[in-house]
Amino acid sequence: MLYGITATTIALLLVALLTELLRFPALRLGILDRRRRRAVPLSGGVAVVLVTGLVAAVGDAAGTAPLGTGVGTLLAAGACVGALGLAADVWRLRWWIPLAGTAVAAALVVPYEETGVPGGLLAVGWVVGLTAAFRGLDHADGLAGTVGVVTAFGVAACAAAELMDGIAVLLGVLAAALAGFLVHNWHPARAALGACGSLFAGFVLASAAVFVRAGHEAGASAGVVFALTAVVCADAALVVLARWPARRPLACGGPDHLGHRLRRLGLAPRAVTLLLGVGALGGVLVGVCAHTGWASGGAVLWVAAVAAVAVLALVRVPVPPVSPPRQRSSTASAQVSERLRVRNG
């Protein structure tokens, strides 16, 4: 208990400090979020990955909080996914390269002994899909961090109920790291996660949920992991439902996510983050209760129904068309150049 409190406190403070220290190098090197109207350095992702890995590894090496073989492999695979995301932030890799790397990492960490091969393959698909969907949440100030903190605590509670102390400690450190990042990402954001941090956080959360539910009945497990990640799933479903009929690319960024549509309805940026954070908390509470047996499967169906209603209602909200990637890149580059010109006087 004492180590957990100490580790989370250190993780929060270190990420808050490191994100600030890395802001200027990221700004000078042009490692910026190009989906926003202003240049936002992607320093938060590197800070979250480094601090989460460092604090968890130190606890494991010191023997105060052993991760275990499977969890150590999960953390290492997550770090590799984060490194691939950093490469995507720096060199703008094609969309399928991080996706393929995530699939390989997921295939290496899924516990096939408990899930079986068919179930393991489904778990790999789930991890890849949720990781990609979590990356989409970084479009709005504070959203990815808030949903990530809530989800991490929820999955950690499920792990603690299963006496999986290693996963619980890792997710507690991740939640604290994301909370430290939120110091800089709350609207108006001064730093963003980027592909590095969002892919890392999404991968760790999705893989940990698979570990926690491995060995349980497949249908019930699907319901629990959906409830734990309801907002992420709803955002992905909304984007697919809006773009697929219009034949727009799913991998291309655009102003048609949950946060964008809620903004079009007149909500302020912080109100959007708080609303979706409350929604994530509601889903997490249901997921934890269903996992521990305090709630029936019917409660999960209510979460699915609310998410479906929200998606069907918001898909009708008009949003600007998705710009072609080349046009969006040139516009963002002009904005970055102007920002640097102003900073340099």
Side-chain angles (χ1 to χ4, degrees):
M1 176 65 72
L2 179 60
Y3 171 79
I5 296 174
T6 303
T8 53
T9 303
I10 292 174
L12 189 153
L13 295 177
L14 281 180
V15 169
L17 176 62
L18 190 58
T19 300
E20 178 62 27
L21 292 177
L22 292 175
R23 282 187 70 253
F24 185 70
L27 194 62
R28 295 293 298 178
L29 294 173
I31 307 175
L32 308 166
D33 189 339
R34 301 183 181 181
R35 295 172 297 179
R36 302 169 189 252
R37 294 182 178 179
R38 52 194 168 77
V40 180
L42 301 177
S43 59
V46 176
V48 168
V49 174
L50 287 179
V51 171
T52 302
L54 177 63
V55 172
V58 168
D60 182 62
T64 53
L67 296 177
T69 304
V71 183
T73 303
L74 186 159
L75 179 59
C80 292
V81 171
L84 189 58
L86 179 60
D89 287 330
V90 175
W91 293 297
R92 306 295 167 183
L93 303 178
R94 293 183 179 274
W95 65 268
W96 59 268
I97 297 178
L99 201 66
T102 303
V104 172
L108 294 175
V109 302
V110 168
Y112 298 99
E113 299 83 1
E114 299 181 35
T115 63
V117 175
L121 293 177
L122 289 175
V124 169
W126 155 258
V127 171
V128 173
L130 189 77
T131 302
F134 192 86
R135 181 180 180 182
L137 292 183
D138 196 36
H139 67 272
D141 293 351
L143 184 54
T146 300
V147 173
V149 169
V150 173
T151 305
F153 276 124
V155 182
C158 294
E162 296 288 331
L163 301 181
M164 296 180 174
D165 295 335
I167 293 181
V169 169
L170 174 60
L171 292 177
V173 172
L174 175 61
L178 289 173
F181 159 71
L182 276 174
V183 172
H184 304 279
N185 190 240
W186 200 250
H187 183 78
R190 300 176 64 250
L193 278 176
C196 176
S198 57
L199 289 179
F200 171 78
F203 180 85
V204 172
L205 291 173
S207 301
V210 168
F211 265 76
V212 169
R213 290 299 302 182
H216 293 265
E217 195 271 324
S221 295
V224 169
V225 295
F226 167 77
L228 291 171
T229 57
V231 168
V232 185
C233 294
D235 187 68
L238 177 62
V239 171
V240 172
L241 192 60
R243 297 186 186 182
W244 190 273
R247 298 182 180 274
R248 290 182 295 180
L250 297 178
C252 183
D256 54 355
H257 290 262
L258 281 173
H260 296 121
R261 294 175 187 270
L262 290 172
R263 288 290 307 277
R264 296 283 290 183
L265 293 177
L267 273 69
R270 296 184 181 183
V272 169
T273 300
L274 289 174
L275 178 62
L276 294 179
V278 170
L281 178 60
V284 161
L285 291 176
V286 171
V288 172
C289 290
H291 175 77
T292 55
W294 293 352
S296 65
V300 174
L301 293 179
W302 276 106
V303 175
V306 171
V309 170
V311 168
L312 293 175
L314 290 174
V315 77
R316 299 177 179 274
V317 176
V319 294
V322 178
S323 303
R326 183 173 300 176
Q327 177 183 346
R328 194 168 53 253
S329 266
S330 62
T331 302
S333 298
Q335 293 170 349
V336 170
S337 299
E338 176 63 19
R339 174 64 179 270
L340 292 176
R341 186 187 66 79
V342 173
R343 284 182 62 90
N344 293 330

